[in-house]
Amino acid sequence: MSTTTFAAVSAVKQRSDSEFSVDLSPAWTIGGRPNGGYLLATIARAATVVSGHPDVLAASAHYLRSPEPGPAEIEVEVLRTGRTATQLRGRLLKDGVPQVEALLTLGVLGEAEPFWQDGVPQAEFGAFSDEPWGQAELPSGIPIAIRDEIDVRFDRPLAAGPSGRGELRGLLSLPGDEPFDPVSLLFAVDALPPATLDIAPSGWVPTLELTAYVRAHPAPGPVRVLHRAHLIGDGRVDESCHVWDSAGTLVAQGTQLAGIRIG
Protein backbone atom coordinates (compact mmCIF):
# COMPACT_ATOMS: atom_id res chain seq x y z
CA MET A 1 0.00 0.00 0.00
CA SER A 2 1.20 3.51 -0.81
CA THR A 3 2.50 5.85 1.90
CA THR A 4 1.25 8.97 0.07
CA THR A 5 -1.57 10.24 2.26
CA PHE A 6 -5.09 10.93 1.06
CA ALA A 7 -4.75 14.45 2.44
CA ALA A 8 -1.78 14.98 0.11
CA VAL A 9 -3.39 13.61 -3.07
CA SER A 10 -6.61 15.57 -2.43
CA ALA A 11 -4.83 18.80 -1.44
CA VAL A 12 -5.88 22.02 -3.15
CA LYS A 13 -4.03 25.28 -3.69
CA GLN A 14 -6.01 28.49 -3.33
CA ARG A 15 -5.57 30.95 -6.23
CA SER A 16 -8.28 33.47 -5.30
CA ASP A 17 -11.21 33.77 -2.92
CA SER A 18 -13.17 31.21 -4.94
CA GLU A 19 -10.67 29.45 -7.24
CA PHE A 20 -8.33 26.57 -6.50
CA SER A 21 -5.95 24.29 -8.37
CA VAL A 22 -5.59 20.56 -7.80
CA ASP A 23 -3.37 17.85 -9.27
CA LEU A 24 -5.50 14.75 -9.80
CA SER A 25 -3.40 11.69 -9.01
CA PRO A 26 -3.09 8.91 -11.63
CA ALA A 27 -2.76 6.46 -8.74
CA TRP A 28 -6.34 7.00 -7.53
CA THR A 29 -7.93 5.73 -10.72
CA ILE A 30 -9.89 2.83 -12.18
CA GLY A 31 -9.31 2.35 -15.88
CA GLY A 32 -7.17 5.49 -15.91
CA ARG A 33 -10.00 7.68 -14.59
CA PRO A 34 -10.12 9.16 -11.05
CA ASN A 35 -12.45 7.57 -8.51
CA GLY A 36 -15.70 9.54 -8.08
CA GLY A 37 -15.46 9.78 -4.30
CA TYR A 38 -11.90 11.05 -4.63
CA LEU A 39 -13.06 13.80 -7.01
CA LEU A 40 -15.87 14.83 -4.65
CA ALA A 41 -13.41 14.95 -1.76
CA THR A 42 -11.14 17.38 -3.64
CA ILE A 43 -14.10 19.71 -4.16
CA ALA A 44 -15.03 19.38 -0.49
CA ARG A 45 -11.44 20.15 0.50
CA ALA A 46 -11.71 23.48 -1.34
CA ALA A 47 -15.16 24.13 0.18
CA THR A 48 -13.77 23.82 3.71
CA VAL A 49 -11.36 26.68 2.94
CA VAL A 50 -14.16 28.99 1.80
CA SER A 51 -16.87 27.95 4.26
CA GLY A 52 -17.49 29.55 7.62
CA HIS A 53 -18.10 26.04 9.03
CA PRO A 54 -15.45 23.30 9.29
CA ASP A 55 -17.19 19.96 8.66
CA VAL A 56 -18.81 18.44 5.59
CA LEU A 57 -22.34 17.34 6.50
CA ALA A 58 -23.73 16.51 3.05
CA ALA A 59 -22.46 16.51 -0.50
CA SER A 60 -24.05 15.60 -3.82
CA ALA A 61 -22.16 15.42 -7.10
CA HIS A 62 -23.15 14.95 -10.74
CA TYR A 63 -20.38 13.59 -12.94
CA LEU A 64 -20.57 15.32 -16.30
CA ARG A 65 -17.33 13.89 -17.64
CA SER A 66 -14.57 11.60 -16.43
CA PRO A 67 -11.40 13.72 -16.28
CA GLU A 68 -7.93 12.48 -16.98
CA PRO A 69 -5.40 12.74 -14.13
CA GLY A 70 -3.28 15.87 -13.92
CA PRO A 71 -3.85 19.58 -13.26
CA ALA A 72 -7.44 20.71 -12.79
CA GLU A 73 -9.33 23.66 -11.37
CA ILE A 74 -11.99 23.98 -8.69
CA GLU A 75 -14.45 26.84 -8.35
CA VAL A 76 -16.44 27.32 -5.13
CA GLU A 77 -19.45 29.60 -4.70
CA VAL A 78 -21.01 30.31 -1.31
CA LEU A 79 -24.78 30.13 -1.71
CA ARG A 80 -25.73 30.89 1.88
CA THR A 81 -24.06 31.21 5.26
CA GLY A 82 -26.24 30.67 8.32
CA ARG A 83 -25.71 30.17 12.01
CA THR A 84 -25.46 26.38 11.84
CA ALA A 85 -24.64 25.65 8.19
CA THR A 86 -23.05 26.98 5.02
CA GLN A 87 -24.33 25.88 1.60
CA LEU A 88 -21.91 25.97 -1.32
CA ARG A 89 -21.67 25.02 -4.98
CA GLY A 90 -18.43 23.44 -6.18
CA ARG A 91 -17.28 22.74 -9.71
CA LEU A 92 -14.25 20.77 -10.89
CA LEU A 93 -12.94 21.79 -14.33
CA LYS A 94 -10.31 20.43 -16.67
CA ASP A 95 -8.89 22.94 -19.16
CA GLY A 96 -11.88 25.14 -18.40
CA VAL A 97 -14.43 22.39 -19.16
CA PRO A 98 -16.74 21.36 -16.27
CA GLN A 99 -16.21 17.76 -15.15
CA VAL A 100 -18.07 17.51 -11.82
CA GLU A 101 -20.82 19.72 -10.36
CA ALA A 102 -21.44 19.48 -6.60
CA LEU A 103 -23.62 20.99 -3.90
CA LEU A 104 -22.35 20.83 -0.33
CA THR A 105 -23.58 21.66 3.16
CA LEU A 106 -20.98 22.31 5.85
CA GLY A 107 -21.58 22.71 9.56
CA VAL A 108 -20.23 21.37 12.85
CA LEU A 109 -20.44 17.67 13.64
CA GLY A 110 -21.50 16.90 17.20
CA GLU A 111 -20.53 14.04 19.47
CA ALA A 112 -23.95 13.09 20.88
CA GLU A 113 -25.40 9.60 20.53
CA PRO A 114 -28.25 9.24 18.00
CA PHE A 115 -31.63 10.19 19.48
CA TRP A 116 -33.52 7.70 17.22
CA GLN A 117 -32.90 5.55 14.16
CA ASP A 118 -34.74 3.04 12.01
CA GLY A 119 -34.00 1.24 8.77
CA VAL A 120 -30.23 1.42 9.23
CA PRO A 121 -28.59 -1.96 8.55
CA GLN A 122 -26.73 -3.70 11.33
CA ALA A 123 -22.94 -3.55 11.29
CA GLU A 124 -22.63 -7.30 10.89
CA PHE A 125 -19.39 -8.52 9.34
CA GLY A 126 -17.62 -11.85 9.16
CA ALA A 127 -13.92 -12.38 9.75
CA PHE A 128 -11.91 -10.24 7.36
CA SER A 129 -9.25 -11.85 5.22
CA ASP A 130 -5.61 -11.55 6.26
CA GLU A 131 -4.83 -10.71 2.65
CA PRO A 132 -5.85 -7.36 1.16
CA TRP A 133 -7.91 -7.28 -1.99
CA GLY A 134 -5.18 -7.16 -4.59
CA GLN A 135 -6.51 -8.02 -8.02
CA ALA A 136 -4.89 -5.86 -10.66
CA GLU A 137 -8.00 -5.52 -12.81
CA LEU A 138 -11.73 -6.06 -12.92
CA PRO A 139 -13.06 -9.25 -14.58
CA SER A 140 -13.52 -7.17 -17.74
CA GLY A 141 -9.79 -6.37 -17.83
CA ILE A 142 -10.05 -2.77 -16.60
CA PRO A 143 -6.91 -1.89 -14.56
CA ILE A 144 -7.36 -0.83 -10.93
CA ALA A 145 -4.47 1.48 -10.02
CA ILE A 146 -6.18 2.54 -6.79
CA ARG A 147 -5.68 -0.97 -5.36
CA ASP A 148 -2.06 -0.01 -4.57
CA GLU A 149 -3.16 3.07 -2.60
CA ILE A 150 -5.73 1.66 -0.18
CA ASP A 151 -6.10 -1.47 1.90
CA VAL A 152 -9.43 -3.29 1.45
CA ARG A 153 -10.10 -6.67 3.09
CA PHE A 154 -13.38 -8.47 2.51
CA ASP A 155 -15.17 -10.89 4.80
CA ARG A 156 -15.81 -13.15 1.80
CA PRO A 157 -13.27 -13.75 -0.99
CA LEU A 158 -14.33 -12.15 -4.27
CA ALA A 159 -12.64 -15.04 -6.07
CA ALA A 160 -15.39 -17.30 -4.73
CA GLY A 161 -17.72 -15.75 -7.29
CA PRO A 162 -21.03 -13.87 -6.98
CA SER A 163 -23.35 -14.86 -4.13
CA GLY A 164 -26.34 -13.18 -5.78
CA ARG A 165 -26.99 -10.96 -2.75
CA GLY A 166 -25.50 -7.92 -4.42
CA GLU A 167 -23.43 -6.74 -1.48
CA LEU A 168 -19.81 -6.34 -0.45
CA ARG A 169 -18.58 -6.00 3.14
CA GLY A 170 -15.07 -4.66 3.55
CA LEU A 171 -12.53 -3.22 5.97
CA LEU A 172 -11.01 -0.05 4.49
CA SER A 173 -7.77 1.70 5.44
CA LEU A 174 -6.13 4.79 3.96
CA PRO A 175 -2.41 4.89 3.07
CA GLY A 176 -0.13 4.82 6.07
CA ASP A 177 -3.14 4.19 8.36
CA GLU A 178 -4.08 7.86 7.97
CA PRO A 179 -7.13 8.62 10.14
CA PHE A 180 -10.38 9.27 8.31
CA ASP A 181 -11.96 12.71 8.55
CA PRO A 182 -15.21 14.19 7.16
CA VAL A 183 -13.56 14.87 3.77
CA SER A 184 -12.00 11.44 3.30
CA LEU A 185 -15.33 9.82 4.31
CA LEU A 186 -16.67 11.17 1.00
CA PHE A 187 -14.15 8.84 -0.63
CA ALA A 188 -15.02 5.96 1.70
CA VAL A 189 -18.63 5.79 0.44
CA ASP A 190 -17.29 5.15 -3.08
CA ALA A 191 -14.09 3.23 -2.29
CA LEU A 192 -15.18 -0.39 -2.70
CA PRO A 193 -15.64 -2.10 -6.08
CA PRO A 194 -19.19 -1.99 -7.44
CA ALA A 195 -21.54 -4.20 -5.44
CA THR A 196 -22.75 -5.59 -8.75
CA LEU A 197 -19.63 -7.81 -8.74
CA ASP A 198 -21.60 -9.94 -6.28
CA ILE A 199 -24.28 -10.41 -8.97
CA ALA A 200 -22.52 -10.71 -12.33
CA PRO A 201 -19.28 -9.62 -14.03
CA SER A 202 -19.49 -6.27 -15.78
CA GLY A 203 -17.38 -3.61 -17.41
CA TRP A 204 -16.69 -0.22 -15.89
CA VAL A 205 -19.54 1.00 -13.64
CA PRO A 206 -19.22 4.80 -13.93
CA THR A 207 -20.90 6.95 -11.29
CA LEU A 208 -23.51 9.34 -12.65
CA GLU A 209 -24.56 10.87 -9.33
CA LEU A 210 -23.25 10.40 -5.77
CA THR A 211 -24.78 11.70 -2.54
CA ALA A 212 -23.05 11.39 0.82
CA TYR A 213 -24.01 12.25 4.40
CA VAL A 214 -21.33 12.53 7.09
CA ARG A 215 -22.84 11.73 10.51
CA ALA A 216 -19.93 11.90 12.95
CA HIS A 217 -16.20 12.41 13.34
CA PRO A 218 -14.71 8.92 12.94
CA ALA A 219 -12.58 7.29 15.61
CA PRO A 220 -9.00 6.47 14.53
CA GLY A 221 -8.49 3.26 12.61
CA PRO A 222 -9.96 1.52 9.58
CA VAL A 223 -13.65 1.76 8.75
CA ARG A 224 -16.08 -1.06 7.96
CA VAL A 225 -18.08 -0.59 4.78
CA LEU A 226 -21.33 -2.24 3.64
CA HIS A 227 -21.90 -1.62 -0.08
CA ARG A 228 -25.17 -2.83 -1.64
CA ALA A 229 -26.74 -2.85 -5.10
CA HIS A 230 -30.51 -2.50 -5.22
CA LEU A 231 -31.93 -2.39 -8.75
CA ILE A 232 -30.27 -3.01 -12.11
CA GLY A 233 -32.19 -2.02 -15.23
CA ASP A 234 -31.96 0.04 -18.41
CA GLY A 235 -28.18 0.07 -18.13
CA ARG A 236 -28.16 1.67 -14.67
CA VAL A 237 -27.82 0.53 -11.08
CA ASP A 238 -28.42 2.25 -7.75
CA GLU A 239 -26.22 1.41 -4.78
CA SER A 240 -26.15 2.31 -1.11
CA CYS A 241 -23.22 2.45 1.27
CA HIS A 242 -22.94 2.56 5.06
CA VAL A 243 -19.67 3.23 6.87
CA TRP A 244 -18.89 2.49 10.53
CA ASP A 245 -15.76 3.56 12.36
CA SER A 246 -13.56 1.41 14.61
CA ALA A 247 -15.82 2.20 17.59
CA GLY A 248 -18.91 0.92 15.79
CA THR A 249 -20.42 4.37 15.12
CA LEU A 250 -22.19 4.98 11.82
CA VAL A 251 -20.09 7.85 10.44
CA ALA A 252 -21.19 8.11 6.81
CA GLN A 253 -23.89 7.02 4.36
CA GLY A 254 -23.97 7.23 0.59
CA THR A 255 -26.20 6.49 -2.38
CA GLN A 256 -25.30 6.58 -6.04
CA LEU A 257 -26.66 6.00 -9.50
CA ALA A 258 -24.19 4.41 -11.93
CA GLY A 259 -24.12 3.12 -15.45
CA ILE A 260 -23.57 -0.60 -16.00
CA ARG A 261 -23.18 -3.10 -18.78
CA ILE A 262 -23.58 -6.72 -17.71
CA GLY A 263 -21.65 -9.42 -19.55
Side-chain angles (χ1 to χ4, degrees), residues 137-228:
E137 57 186 32
L138 293 174
S140 58
I142 294 173
I144 311 170
I146 198 172
R147 73 185 180 94
D148 294 325
E149 305 304 307
I150 59 177
D151 189 304
V152 181
R153 300 170 188 245
F154 294 102
D155 66 356
R156 189 184 69 85
L158 296 188
S163 75
R165 293 194 303 268
E167 66 179 38
L168 300 176
R169 297 172 183 263
L171 185 71
L172 171 68
S173 300
L174 292 174
D177 294 324
E178 176 186 2
F180 282 88
D181 63 13
V183 170
S184 55
L185 285 175
L186 300 181
F187 164 70
V189 300
D190 192 41
L192 266 59
T196 53
L197 287 181
D198 194 40
I199 300 170
S202 68
W204 186 33
V205 184
T207 302
L208 303 173
E209 189 274 344
L210 172 64
T211 294
Y213 301 144
V214 178
R215 310 312 301 260
H217 283 287
V223 295
R224 291 174 290 167
V225 182
L226 169 59
H227 194 42
R228 284 176 168 166

Side-chain angles (χ1 to χ4, degrees), residues 10 20 43 46 99 149 220 257:
S10 62
F20 299 79
I43 297 174
Q99 308 289 311
E149 305 304 307
L257 182 69

